[in-house]
Amino acid sequence: MIQLHIVIPRCLRYFPMVGAFGLLLGLCLLAASDAYSRPPTSVPTSKASLSAPIPPTSKTTLSKPIPPSDPKKHILQFKHGDWLPELPPESPISSPEPRPSSPSSRPDRRLPMPSVPVRPFSTQRDAQKDRWGRADRLRRRGWRRLDPAQESDERILQRYRVDLVTIGPGNWLFTYFGHNALRVRDRLLGQDMTYNFGTFSGNNPVKLLRDYLRNQMQYWLSVIPHNYLLRGYQYTDRTYQFRTLHLRAKEIRRLLHFLRHHSRPENRFYRYDHYRQNCSTKLRDALHYAMGPVFREDALALSPNTYRKHVMQRTTPNPVLMILMDFGMGPFADRPLRRWDDMFLPVYLESYVADPNWLVSRGRSLAAPSATLYQRKAAEAMRVEPVSLTYGLGGFWWLLGLLLWARPAFRRWLRVYLFVAASLGTALALMMFFTWMPEPPHNANLLMYHPLHWLAFLLLAKKRWEVPSTRRILGLYLIAHAWLGMLYLILKPILRLPIQMNTHHYVVAIALFGLAAFRFYYGPTPASSASPLSESKKI
């Protein structure tokens, strides 16, 4: 019973402090409400000013396209932070409208921005002035000479040089798989630009993770000077090399048309897919568009690799991530691939264009020998296979449970394993049923690792551990999972279930569940309870 004569004086002791705090808070709220309710001094109060129309500020319109007869429609323009090169005659550029310097001078109807050449920023300012001055003089003489569609094959081969840039892996997840880009050098204008399809925004990590789980990440094509790209990857210590592509004039013309079409603001964004549509597959499709069906003939051969092999080889620097990704991948990662599918990795695209078989079909190699501009200084990580690592960790935990067989610490050993199994099962269930990622669906690991392990984890509390009925339920639960795992491994080849090459997780789960079930039925019991087997014999 509550003793009021003791509680009430203790509560009254803090009454002045609470009252002072409440009074201070009320004064602050009163001052804030007075400030917000007071009319601002800058708002006009005359009737004429109040009746004047407010200029539109929320809508942004674009000017009309430049007519085809305008000789300046092929001028390079800088928009949204990306380089927009000159486009073919059937794709004019719409110039953005200028933004007024002050709201008072803002007109009711926007005027188009004058079509003048916008000179981009460069670190070599003197050379930049000379190059762009030369480009302006060439435009005055005849702008058609700057259009690849109007030039002869000989001039195309003399003017342009296309390189395939391959960048090595880095130190975090998004850089484990490497990167690549196309480098286009224009000797007439003195430009050296790289077309990079692997640009994304990482300013909002929460949105980035949400889009990744929904398989809705937005990537885009950015066109930047080659020096900027090289310095960026030198700073992050990633190998930077390139191969010059020996393309014909017609192929160069079609490749430039592909790149300039996708560099337009309405075409540069695309939905990212790690295996089917990424920076490397975009370059593969660009070369296929430029060279035609010949580029794909040798790529239709079957490959000895799978998506699982590729991912496991690239995530070797992080063994924990490698095991988790191996656990979460379903049958999608083990289906047979072709060489065309392997080219989602930049290394395989480079090896394909450097294949010596091009000497037979084209009469010369498709790519020149590799030239390295920067070599990674960090040492390579030690290669570890996920199968051996999983068996090693599972065997260590099994031996530890065997050593704790007759000790009370066996309960903690089993509880730790059930906690890990329940956590993995919960994450796998969420990825399978609440995300749009291609790897988790139809993952058979959900039979052995599922959220129901949380109930067994709660039953293994110290007080419930000594109850005979709880131990009987836990014993049946563990032995049922051991038999379920063995039944799946037996029926998998008979029923022709989908191929899933991560059964080592199943084998480890069967061994641990079997050891725990055997301990429940034939091991020592707490002093305050008897084993389920002995009780059944007495009955």
Side-chain angles (χ1 to χ4, degrees):
M1 185 175 180
I2 301 176
Q3 299 179 0
L4 298 179
H5 64 282
I6 298 177
V7 175
I8 292 177
R10 292 184 179 178
C11 294
L12 292 177
R13 187 186 307 170
Y14 300 99
F15 181 79
M17 185 186 302
V18 175
F21 179 80
L23 181 61
L24 181 62
L25 181 61
L27 291 175
C28 294
L29 292 177
L30 182 61
S33 62
D34 187 3
Y36 280 111
S37 61
R38 189 180 305 155
T41 57
S42 60
V43 176
T45 56
S46 62
K47 295 182 179 180
S49 60
L50 290 176
S51 60
I54 301 175
T57 58
S58 58
K59 295 183 179 180
T60 304
T61 57
L62 295 178
S63 60
K64 296 181 180 180
I66 303 174
S69 59
D70 191 351
K72 293 185 178 181
K73 75 172 183 177
H74 288 272
I75 294 176
L76 300 182
Q77 303 208 8
F78 190 73
K79 182 179 181 182
H80 300 298
D82 286 345
W83 293 82
L84 298 182
E86 60 269 22
L87 300 176
E90 64 270 15
S91 303
I93 297 179
S94 297
S95 302
E97 297 178 358
R99 185 166 183 170
S101 58
S102 62
S104 60
S105 63
R106 184 177 296 150
D108 292 339
R109 181 174 295 179
R110 304 294 180 97
L111 298 177
M113 186 175 67
S115 56
V116 295
V118 180
R119 299 178 180 178
F121 176 78
S122 175
T123 54
Q124 302 174 353
R125 299 194 176 183
D126 298 336
Q128 174 222 357
K129 293 180 181 178
D130 295 338
R131 288 200 304 266
W132 284 92
R134 180 185 179 188
D136 292 341
R137 291 194 299 271
L138 290 175
R139 286 193 184 94
R140 295 191 200 102
R141 295 175 186 176
W143 62 273
R144 292 184 181 276
R145 295 177 58 185
L146 300 181
D147 186 8
Q150 305 295 333
E151 290 187 326
S152 62
D153 293 351
E154 182 179 0
R155 292 293 302 272
I156 286 288
L157 294 176
Q158 294 177 357
R159 176 180 175 183
Y160 292 103
R161 185 175 178 180
V162 182
D163 301 334
L164 176 63
V165 177
T166 305
I167 299 146
N171 297 323
W172 62 296
L173 176 59
F174 282 95
T175 62
Y176 285 164
F177 301 88
H179 186 50
N180 55 6
L182 277 179
R183 177 186 180 187
V184 179
R185 283 181 271 185
D186 190 343
R187 298 179 181 178
L188 182 63
L189 300 181
Q191 297 176 1
D192 191 357
M193 312 300 293
T194 52
Y195 292 78
N196 177 15
F197 280 96
T199 312
F200 68 97
S201 176
N203 297 331
N204 191 348
V206 177
K207 183 179 182 300
L208 182 66
L209 179 61
R210 182 188 62 189
D211 293 342
Y212 178 76
L213 295 177
R214 292 181 177 180
N215 201 21
Q216 295 178 353
M217 293 185 65
Q218 289 290 329
Y219 275 54
W220 64 85
L221 168 64
S222 60
V223 190
I224 59 177
H226 175 255
N227 290 334
Y228 287 5
L229 193 71
L230 176 60
R231 291 175 185 175
Y233 289 112
Q234 284 179 345
Y235 179 76
T236 55
D237 192 23
R238 299 177 64 179
T239 302
Y240 193 98
Q241 58 188 10
F242 70 92
R243 289 179 181 269
T244 302
L245 301 179
H246 300 153
L247 300 177
R248 300 186 176 98
K250 178 182 177 181
E251 297 169 349
I252 293 177
R253 191 178 291 112
R254 290 177 61 85
L255 180 62
L256 293 177
H257 180 271
F258 180 92
L259 295 175
R260 289 165 180 172
H261 173 75
H262 284 79
S263 63
R264 299 176 63 185
E266 62 271 19
N267 298 328
R268 63 175 184 164
F269 288 93
Y270 68 96
R271 184 175 175 178
Y272 176 82
D273 187 281
H274 183 66
Y275 304 104
R276 305 184 186 95
Q277 208 167 12
N278 62 359
C279 60
S280 186
T281 59
K282 282 291 187 178
L283 300 188
R284 177 198 65 186
D285 297 341
L287 294 176
H288 182 223
Y289 177 83
M291 299 176 59
V294 180
F295 182 76
R296 194 175 181 178
E297 287 180 355
D298 294 340
L300 296 179
L302 290 176
S303 170
N305 301 313
T306 60
Y307 286 140
R308 187 185 301 275
K309 285 185 179 180
H310 288 314
V311 173
M312 294 302 105
Q313 291 174 0
R314 297 305 180 277
T315 54
T316 299
N318 193 338
V320 177
L321 178 65
M322 179 180 63
I323 292 180
L324 292 178
M325 296 188 72
D326 180 48
F327 173 81
M329 286 183 169
F332 170 83
D334 297 303
R335 62 180 186 175
L337 301 179
R338 300 182 183 274
R339 295 186 65 185
W340 182 263
D341 303 320
D342 287 338
M343 282 185 266
F344 84 97
L345 292 174
V347 176
Y348 284 87
L349 178 59
E350 182 190 12
S351 63
Y352 184 73
V353 299
D355 196 331
N357 293 332
W358 292 108
L359 290 170
V360 180
S361 59
R362 295 173 60 91
R364 63 175 303 185
S365 60
L366 179 59
S370 176
T372 303
L373 298 182
Y374 180 80
Q375 185 65 38
R376 180 178 172 87
K377 298 179 181 179
E380 293 186 1
M382 182 180 63
R383 297 290 178 182
V384 181
E385 292 295 331
V387 179
S388 58
L389 192 58
T390 304
Y391 281 141
L393 293 176
F396 168 76
W397 199 250
W398 191 88
L399 291 175
L400 182 61
L402 195 62
L403 292 175
L404 299 176
W405 174 274
R407 299 181 182 180
F410 186 86
R411 179 186 63 85
R412 299 176 184 174
W413 172 89
L414 181 58
R415 208 176 189 208
V416 170
Y417 174 68
L418 286 177
F419 176 81
V420 174
S423 302
L424 293 176
T426 304
L428 182 59
L430 291 176
M431 288 191 299
M432 288 180 61
F433 301 110
F434 298 99
T435 66
W436 288 263
M437 300 172 63
E439 299 93 343
H442 310 290
N443 195 329
N445 286 326
L446 192 63
L447 296 175
M448 300 294 289
Y449 301 88
H450 50 76
L452 293 179
H453 290 323
W454 290 114
L455 299 177
F457 174 78
L458 295 176
L459 291 177
L460 279 172
K462 187 174 183 180
K463 294 182 179 180
R464 299 186 183 95
W465 168 263
E466 300 176 354
V467 180
S469 59
T470 303
R471 294 172 55 80
R472 188 183 302 110
I473 294 173
L474 285 173
L476 294 175
Y477 181 85
L478 296 173
I479 200 170
H481 278 76
W483 281 108
L484 180 63
M486 289 188 291
L487 185 64
Y488 170 78
L489 295 180
I490 294 172
L491 296 179
K492 182 179 178 180
I494 299 175
L495 300 180
R496 295 183 180 180
L497 297 176
I499 299 176
Q500 187 170 336
M501 303 302 295
N502 57 352
T503 53
H504 41 277
H505 297 285
Y506 253 79
V507 175
V508 170
I510 291 171
L512 295 176
F513 279 122
L515 177 64
F518 194 78
R519 164 67 172 76
F520 264 84
Y521 278 92
Y522 298 102
T525 58
S528 60
S529 64
S531 64
L533 186 62
S534 60
E535 288 188 1
S536 61
K537 290 182 179 180
K538 291 180 182 179
I539 293 174

